[in-house]
Amino acid sequence: MSWAVRYLHGQVERLSRFQHRSACLPVSARRGAQIVLMPWGRRPDEPGKLPKGGWAHLTHLQGGVWDQFGPKPVRLPVYEFAERDVTGREHWFMVTRGQFLQGCVATLERERRVYVVTLDCAPDVGEFERWPRLVIVPT
């Protein structure tokens, strides 16, 4: 289940795929804040104590499952993201101007990583198992 994003950082177009150890996401904590790159989740073979994976399900965040990691909501200013459907095919989707993927920064001791906040897909869609939470920021 691969995930990928495309974004601009310092006038350079970047492609980040979760399965790569060096995967980073652009993070903005608030409007007008400088964009920083942070490690995207934790792969199974990486050292650390934060959760494995690159996603935090919204209901788990709301239910307190992540509380021990002090999750902080952030915006992920990407212009395109990819998801694999249930057959394994990759699909790319544009992010509308004024929208951001929602992320959360998790911290434990000196370890800090960002995770994409996800929702379940509607049962009638069935093509994807999860979907990123998109947030609209008023201008």
Side-chain angles (χ1 to χ4, degrees):
M1 196 177 291
S2 173
W3 233 74
V5 296
R6 287 191 179 114
Y7 59 93
L8 288 173
H9 188 257
Q11 306 290 341
V12 177
E13 183 177 298
R14 296 182 183 228
L15 168 68
S16 188
R17 291 187 177 276
F18 174 73
Q19 70 262 33
H20 296 146
R21 242 184 130 95
S22 61
C24 288
L25 290 174
V27 173
S28 173
R30 62 188 180 281
R31 190 169 159 185
Q34 182 179 6
I35 308 286
V36 296
L37 296 180
M38 290 189 69
W40 181 2
R42 185 164 77 93
R43 275 133 299 281
D45 61 338
E46 282 185 300
K49 295 181 182 175
L50 286 173
K52 293 176 184 172
W55 308 272
H57 199 282
L58 181 62
T59 57
H60 295 166
L61 289 164
Q62 293 170 334
V65 175
W66 285 72
D67 285 358
Q68 63 186 314
F69 308 116
K72 302 286 185 232
V74 293
R75 300 177 194 145
L76 307 176
V78 305
Y79 64 84
E80 200 171 26
F81 67 91
E83 182 61 86
R84 287 193 189 264
D85 64 22
V86 293
T87 68
R89 286 188 35 225
E90 185 175 82
H91 300 267
W92 283 91
F93 302 91
M94 297 294 293
V95 176
T96 304
R97 188 179 183 143
Q99 288 187 334
F100 298 88
L101 297 186
Q102 183 178 8
C104 74
V105 173
T107 306
L108 188 62
E109 298 168 3
R110 293 180 173 217
E111 187 181 6
R112 280 183 71 187
R113 296 175 184 272
V114 64
Y115 295 79
V116 177
V117 176
T118 59
L119 309 166
D120 286 334
C121 287
D124 59 332
V125 175
E127 189 174 356
F128 300 98
E129 293 178 10
R130 65 171 175 234
W131 198 253
R133 184 170 196 228
L134 294 164
V135 293
I136 299 172
V137 178
T139 55

